[in-house]
Structures are given as C-alpha cells and as structure tokens.
C-alpha cells in the first residue's frame, strides 16, 4: 500500500506574490496615514484656535477691552499650535484701550474673505480681532502685519479658502515677514493652508454682554409748558465714547449736538447748531456740550411742535467720518395760557392799559402788565383810559424780547394823537 504525502508548502512564486501584496498594502496604508495625521493635526489646531478665541472673548467681557499681543500669550490656554508654532493674534488696536469694547461701534480692522467673493477688501468690516495658525506647511500666507494704522480708512487682512490658488496657479503668500511675527519659511507661494478665525465688534459686544452702552439720547420727553412762566427743559445723551471736556464745561460726559426744526421762535437752545439735515453735517458743524438746554418763552401759535436732536460721540477721533450718530424727535405742545409776556412800566410815571379793549387797569411805575398770545394792549397816559391809546400786540412784544426771558420794558410813553410807546429788552 502506497501512502502519499498530501501536505505541500508555498512555492517561491506564491511567497513572492504574497510579499508584494503585503508591501502594496503597507505602502497604501502609509500613504493614507499621512493625510489622516495631517487632518487630525488640522482639527486639533482648529480646537486650539477656538479655545484662544473664547479666552479673548472672556477677557473682553471682564476687562471691557481686548488683550494686547503680549497679554494674549498669557491668557490663551496654549499659544502654540500642534506644529509648535506661535498662534498669531491680531487685535484692532483701538480696542486694547480700557473701556472701549462696550463703548465703540466701529474699528479700522477689516477681513476680506475670498470664499465670500471679496474684491475690494471690505467684505467684513469692524473686525474686533483675528487669530491664525500658519498650518501644516508652516508658512504664514496671510498678511497680518504688525500694527493697524488707526489713521487709515481701513486695514485689511485678506484670507482665502484652503484650496484657493491665483489665476496663474502660482499659489498664495501675502506675508513677507515682520518683527512681531517672523516667518522663517519666507515668501513661498503655495496652496493656502492657514487656519483663521475672527469676530466682528458687534458680535463681540453681544458675547461680552455690553449692548446697553450704545450711544443714545436718554431723555424720554420734554417738560410741559408751565403756565405764564419761562420754559425750561434739557436733552441728555448717554453711552458711546465721550469727547474730552471743553474748557468752560464741567465734569459731565460731553457729546456734540445738532438740531433740526426750531418748533417755536420763542425757544432758546444752548448750544444751537441748526441745520436742515444734521446727518449730512461734518463734526465741525456740531457743538460740544454735555446736553442741550431749552429755555425762553414760546411765542408762536399754541400748537404741537416737533423738535429733532442729533448727538454724535468720539467713536472715531481721527477720521471723524465713522463717529456714532443717533437722533431722537420730541413733540412739545404749547397751550394758549403758556405763551405770555411780562411788560414792566419803566417810564418813571404811572400809566393805564386795557387788554383787548377790556377793563381799564392802573399801571404804576415799575409794575408789570402781562399780555398773552393773541392779545393786544391799549396803553394810555396817567389821566385815564380815554382818548387814543398806544397799541402793542403780543407778537410785537415777543419780537423785542430777544433774550427770550419773557420780560420787556416800556421805556417811554409820549403823548400825541396817537401817542407813541418805546419798548426795549429788559
């Protein structure tokens, strides 16, 4: 009986084929492992950027300003990315001053995002801060420059999608190095790999919980017109960034003011830059004060009058054109018994008068005659209310009352047919 050996090993050819397959799988695995590792590093760095981003927001909420570049290094959980390179932090310089995050509404820092089709560099305005990692290629490709020139109209940081290339396919590198952020790689145009994140000032203010500090006119209504007394009311502002006190002002925060529509010619406004369109006026036209004071005596027809006030802050002390400007309108109702004038007999002699041909009233020297809106006074000599009087209307008296205090003097009464009366400011 013949026993045959059924066990048989691999041939050299078969072993070679197996080794080739194993080699191919190993090479393929290594090829796939590289992008996977880079993807993980990219994800880790994005998380580091997000943590630094939240740290800056927390700092702004606590200190009402942004950290400087040096302060950022101490508040961030880590100031380096997974490749060991410094994370770049670029704040709007004007927000690194105390009390500015909640008070300002604009910055000179812009971001132009090529993903959004930006052509002019003003795609995203009023940026508060910008954070960047140079990415896997270790090459800073975004022009983050050292200092934002706050005297310029804008300072633009231009970013790109990660797959963006120039039209000639030469790649991207807008950064040639700086003292603050040296780039050992130097200029090297290639596929954009920078990892970036930014926030606008408006969003930062919301996250910092400081929306209530916006510039506003805080006065809610004007005082009513008091019966037969000079009028007085004040319009105040609040929030924003105040101007430094002027030489003759107190310590109250100061703003600049403009007014549209006078409402009533007897009212006096201090200060009083009057315009038909305050919004189009330059800062030089506005007058600086902590408030607008309304005084005088209304002398127009009893009615409701619209008064509109504009206030601007010092949000943009260099260019002025982007100061915050707000306005508010008020309605002032003038009642008939609110409009009156006091006339003092300053002739040195006694006189008599009638109001609208009513009763004859004695008017001793230095005494007061009161005349209301729409009335006419007939003024006679000392002998009584007979003969031809000297007539004077409320509007005539109001026109003489140039300082608006509601008081004028009758300086002389001269006999004649009719007699003449001389009225002057009190």
């Amino acid at each position: 009986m013949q026993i045959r050996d059924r066990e048989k090993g691999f041939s050299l050819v078969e072993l070679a084929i197996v080794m080739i397959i194993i080699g191919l799988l190993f090479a393929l695995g290594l090829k796939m492992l590289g992008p996977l590792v880079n993807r993980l590093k990219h994800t880790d760095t994005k998380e580091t950027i997000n943590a630094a981003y939240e740290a800056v927001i927390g700092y702004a909420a606590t200190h009402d300003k942004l950290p400087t570049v040096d302060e950022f290094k101490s508040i961030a959980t880590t100031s380096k990315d997974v490749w060991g390179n410094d994370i770049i932090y670029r704040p709007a310089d004007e927000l690194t001053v105390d009390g500015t995050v909640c008070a300002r509404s604009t910055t000179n820092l812009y971001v132009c995002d090529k993903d959004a089709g930006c052509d002019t560099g003003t795609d995203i305005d009023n940026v508060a801060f910008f954070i960047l990692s140079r990415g896997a290629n270790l090459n800073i490709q975004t022009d983050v420059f050292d200092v934002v020139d706050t005297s310029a109209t804008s300072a633009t940081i231009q970013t790109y999608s990660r797959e963006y290339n120039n039209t000639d396919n030469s790649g991207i590198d807008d950064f040639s190095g700086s003292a603050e952020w040296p780039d050992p790689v130097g200029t090297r145009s290639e596929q954009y790999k920078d990892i970036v994140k930014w926030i606008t000032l408006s969003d930062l203010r919301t996250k910092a919980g400081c929306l209530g500090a916006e510039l506003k006119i805080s006065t809610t209504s004007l005082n009513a017109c008091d019966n037969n007394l000079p009028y007085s009311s004040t319009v105040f502002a609040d929030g924003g960034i105040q101007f430094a006190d002027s030489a003759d002002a107190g310590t109250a925060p100061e703003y600049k003011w403009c007014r549209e529509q006078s409402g009533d010619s007897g009212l006096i406004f201090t200060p009083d830059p009057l315009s038909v369109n305050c919004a189009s006026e330059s800062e030089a036209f506005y007058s600086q004060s902590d408030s607008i004071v309304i005084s005088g005596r209304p002398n127009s027809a009893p009615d409701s009058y619209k008064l509109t006030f504009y206030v601007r802050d010092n949000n943009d002390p260099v260019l002025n054109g982007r100061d915050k400007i707000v306005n508010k309108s008020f309605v002032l109702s003038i009642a008939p018994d609110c409009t009156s004038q006091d006339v003092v007999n300053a002739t040195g002699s006694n006189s008599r008068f009638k109001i609208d041909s009513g009763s004859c009233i004695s008017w001793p020297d230095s005494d007061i005659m009161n005349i209301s809106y729409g009335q006419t006074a007939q003024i006679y000599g000392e002998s009584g209310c007979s003969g031809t009087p000297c007539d004077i209307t409320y509007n005539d008296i109001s026109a003489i009352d140039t300082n608006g205090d509601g008081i004028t003097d009758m300086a002389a009464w001269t006999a004649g047919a009719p007699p003449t009366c001389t009225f002057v400011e009190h």
Side-chain angles (χ1 to χ4, degrees):
M1 178 175 164
Q2 186 177 6
I3 299 175
R4 302 184 61 180
D5 185 3
R6 301 182 60 87
E7 295 181 1
K8 183 179 181 181
F10 291 106
S11 67
L12 290 176
V13 173
E14 290 173 327
L15 287 173
I17 292 173
V18 170
M19 293 300 294
I20 291 173
I21 292 174
I22 292 174
L24 289 173
L25 290 174
F26 182 74
L28 182 61
L30 288 178
K31 186 176 182 180
M32 294 177 62
L33 183 61
L36 179 60
V37 170
N38 285 335
R39 189 175 297 112
L40 289 174
K41 288 185 176 182
H42 181 83
T43 300
D44 287 346
T45 296
K46 287 183 68 175
E47 291 177 356
T48 300
I49 293 287
N50 287 336
Y53 173 89
E54 294 298 333
V56 174
I57 292 174
Y59 182 95
T62 303
H63 297 85
D64 196 16
K65 72 167 190 171
L66 288 181
T68 63
V69 172
D70 288 337
E71 290 170 334
F72 168 77
K73 296 174 184 177
S74 63
I75 68 168
T77 304
T78 174
S79 60
K80 294 185 179 294
D81 59 22
V82 297
W83 294 281
N85 292 308
D86 288 337
I87 293 173
I88 294 174
Y89 161 71
R90 166 70 271 177
D93 289 344
E94 55 267 49
L95 297 182
T96 59
V97 179
D98 289 341
T100 51
V101 168
C102 288
R104 295 190 65 91
S105 57
T106 61
T107 75
N108 284 339
L109 186 60
Y110 291 72
V111 168
C112 169
D113 185 5
K114 275 296 184 180
D115 281 335
C118 174
D119 294 318
T120 62
T122 57
D123 223 26
I124 303 152
D125 60 359
N126 300 319
V127 172
F129 66 85
F130 181 95
I131 300 179
L132 172 146
S133 163
R134 64 189 70 191
N137 59 10
L138 312 183
N139 180 21
I140 306 176
Q141 296 167 267
T142 305
D143 186 7
V144 287
F145 44 85
D146 282 342
V147 178
V148 172
D149 183 1
T150 55
S151 66
T153 302
S154 67
T156 302
I157 294 175
Q158 184 160 283
T159 63
Y160 303 84
S161 70
R162 297 187 70 240
E163 304 301 324
Y164 185 93
N165 283 316
N166 287 337
T167 54
D168 60 0
N169 294 318
S170 61
I172 296 297
D173 194 337
D174 294 337
F175 186 74
S176 57
S178 73
E180 186 70 48
W181 298 297
D183 187 1
V185 174
T187 301
R188 186 178 70 198
S189 296
E190 56 189 338
Q191 188 184 66
Y192 188 76
K193 296 290 186 180
D194 289 356
I195 303 170
V196 299
K197 189 162 187 173
W198 64 85
I199 188 172
T200 64
L201 176 55
S202 176
D203 288 341
L204 176 61
R205 287 167 51 86
T206 300
K207 289 179 178 293
C210 58
L211 289 179
E214 283 274 15
L215 176 65
K216 64 180 180 180
I217 293 178
S218 55
T219 301
T220 56
S221 62
L222 299 181
N223 294 334
C225 186
D226 296 325
N227 182 25
N228 290 324
L229 293 175
Y231 183 76
S232 178
S233 196
T234 306
V235 178
F236 294 99
D238 190 20
I241 296 181
Q242 294 83 25
F243 291 87
D245 287 347
S246 56
D248 59 346
T251 58
E254 293 205 334
Y255 302 92
K256 292 193 175 181
W257 299 86
C258 180
R259 176 175 65 90
E260 293 178 356
Q261 302 144 324
S262 63
D264 186 283
S265 59
L267 296 176
I268 299 172
F269 301 86
T270 308
D272 189 25
L274 177 62
S275 173
V276 295
N277 185 2
C278 288
S280 65
E281 301 289 356
S282 67
E283 181 182 311
F285 182 85
Y286 283 62
S287 293
Q288 183 172 331
S289 176
D290 58 345
S291 62
I292 283 188
V293 177
I294 309 172
S295 58
R297 287 202 182 204
N299 61 12
S300 295
D303 203 347
S304 294
Y305 295 93
K306 181 180 179 182
L307 304 174
T308 303
F309 302 97
Y310 283 71
V311 64
R312 70 188 298 155
D313 70 356
N314 200 25
N315 183 66
D316 187 356
V318 177
L319 300 176
N320 312 135
R322 294 190 297 129
D323 285 342
K324 185 69 174 179
I325 302 176
V326 298
N327 67 82
K328 194 171 187 177
S329 294
F330 300 89
V331 174
L332 176 63
S333 296
I334 308 299
D337 59 357
C338 181
T339 54
S340 65
Q341 290 278 340
D342 290 335
V343 183
V344 178
N345 183 353
T347 63
S349 302
N350 296 334
S351 298
R352 295 177 183 272
F353 68 87
K354 293 181 180 181
I355 299 295
D356 289 342
S357 301
S359 301
C360 184
I361 301 172
S362 176
W363 191 14
D365 182 47
S366 300
D367 204 0
I368 293 175
M369 172 186 70
N370 183 263
I371 180 171
S372 297
Y373 172 80
Q375 292 181 333
T376 300
Q378 297 84 38
I379 302 174
Y380 300 84
E382 186 175 1
S383 59
C385 295
S386 61
T388 304
C390 169
D391 290 345
I392 189 76
T393 67
Y394 169 85
N395 288 340
D396 294 334
I397 296 295
S398 295
I400 296 168
D401 180 26
T402 56
N403 66 8
D405 63 0
I407 306 175
T408 57
D409 290 343
M410 184 175 74
W413 184 91
T414 305
T420 57
C421 299
T422 303
F423 294 88
V424 297
E425 180 65 85
H426 180 69

